[in-house]
Amino acid sequence: MGLSLTIDQDLKGFERFTKNYRKQLPFASSVALNSTGFDIRQALNKGTLGAFDKPTTFTQKAFLTTKSKKTNLVVHVFAKDKEGSDAARYLRFGVQGGARPPKGFERYFSGLPNDGTTARYFMPTRQTKRDGKGNITRPTLKKLSTRVTTGTAFIGTPRNSTRPPGLYVREKNNKLLAKFITTSSKPTYTGRFNIEAIAGKVVQRRFNQHFDKAMSKAIATAK
């Protein structure tokens, strides 16, 4: 005793469907890649809020994405790295960790008149004005550098004092206020922004959804 199975239908319709499916595959793949890349971009930008302490708008909008084509099924999601808007340089240490190089203002301060006792890294004190994100503003840095060049502030070690080398401002009462102290120890960061894990979760959750939607639409509208 046994069973016999057969298909008693016209297979031409199925053949047309599979042919259409193969034809639309590059297009649907490209659409799905682009939509998933945009989702990853949004997830990474949003992820900066949890990974960093009071990230600036610059940091929260650091990531961009390219678009794929049917003939080039590749999407890149990346942090801005152009001159004057180099988010990648700052985010690199949050992603990988490690010792950071001197910042731009530190290199600038090192080139101002000083007594030769300062180190490369300038650490702000409580006396230094910050913005709502906890960062030293450009106007503050400019004002301090102007005071150094005009002689109402200096970079070095106060005479007859045990205070460390740094950038000091002389107040009207002749009191010295330390705005920065310097150190030769490289500031280090712990990697805490796992972009690969974030992107991987987005791909698992969203790519198939985007692909199925793109393919259904492509087949439905195919001529």
Side-chain angles (χ1 to χ4, degrees), residues 137-159:
T137 64
R138 188 178 296 274
T140 295
L141 294 172
K142 184 176 181 180
K143 182 178 179 180
L144 288 172
S145 64
T146 299
R147 295 195 65 170
V148 171
T149 56
T150 57
T152 57
F154 69 91
I155 297 176
T157 303
R159 295 178 181 177

Side-chain angles (χ1 to χ4, degrees), residues 101-119:
K103 294 182 178 180
F105 79 86
E106 290 172 321
R107 294 194 295 270
Y108 180 73
F109 279 170
S110 296
L112 293 177
N114 63 83
D115 66 2
T117 63
T118 57

Side-chain angles (χ1 to χ4, degrees), residues 153-181:
F154 69 91
I155 297 176
T157 303
R159 295 178 181 177
N160 303 318
S161 173
T162 58
R163 301 174 76 175
L167 192 158
Y168 290 85
V169 171
R170 193 176 300 280
E171 299 294 289
K172 292 181 180 180
N173 58 5
N174 212 34
K175 181 179 179 180
L176 288 179
L177 290 181
K179 296 293 186 176
F180 288 85
I181 59 173

Side-chain angles (χ1 to χ4, degrees), residues 5-11:
L5 300 178
T6 186
I7 298 177
D8 187 19
Q9 294 182 8
D10 183 1
L11 296 181

Side-chain angles (χ1 to χ4, degrees), residues 22-185:
R22 288 194 299 270
K23 182 179 179 181
Q24 299 301 331
L25 185 59
F27 171 79
S29 298
S30 178
V31 171
L33 280 172
N34 292 339
S35 297
T36 304
F38 183 76
D39 289 343
I40 293 173
R41 171 191 172 185
Q42 286 189 312
L44 292 178
N45 283 334
K46 185 177 180 180
T48 61
L49 293 169
F52 302 100
D53 181 28
K54 298 179 181 179
T56 62
T57 301
F58 172 74
T59 301
Q60 293 177 43
K61 296 182 178 180
F63 289 92
L64 301 174
T65 182
T66 62
K67 286 187 176 183
S68 70
K69 299 178 181 180
K70 291 191 296 183
T71 55
N72 184 27
L73 296 175
V74 178
V75 166
H76 294 285
V77 182
F78 60 97
K80 301 173 187 176
D81 60 356
K82 65 180 181 180
E83 186 176 356
S85 184
D86 191 358
R89 178 174 178 269
Y90 297 99
L91 290 173
R92 185 177 299 118
F93 301 101
V95 174
Q96 300 174 350
R100 71 161 175 81
K103 294 182 178 180
F105 79 86
E106 290 172 321
R107 294 194 295 270
Y108 180 73
F109 279 170
S110 296
L112 293 177
N114 63 83
D115 66 2
T117 63
T118 57
R120 297 182 69 188
Y121 298 95
F122 285 71
M123 312 299 291
T125 69
R126 296 179 182 178
Q127 304 295 333
T128 307
K129 184 178 179 181
R130 302 167 188 252
D131 61 19
K133 300 292 186 180
N135 298 312
I136 312 301
T137 64
R138 188 178 296 274
T140 295
L141 294 172
K142 184 176 181 180
K143 182 178 179 180
L144 288 172
S145 64
T146 299
R147 295 195 65 170
V148 171
T149 56
T150 57
T152 57
F154 69 91
I155 297 176
T157 303
R159 295 178 181 177
N160 303 318
S161 173
T162 58
R163 301 174 76 175
L167 192 158
Y168 290 85
V169 171
R170 193 176 300 280
E171 299 294 289
K172 292 181 180 180
N173 58 5
N174 212 34
K175 181 179 179 180
L176 288 179
L177 290 181
K179 296 293 186 176
F180 288 85
I181 59 173
T182 67
T183 176
S184 57
S185 300

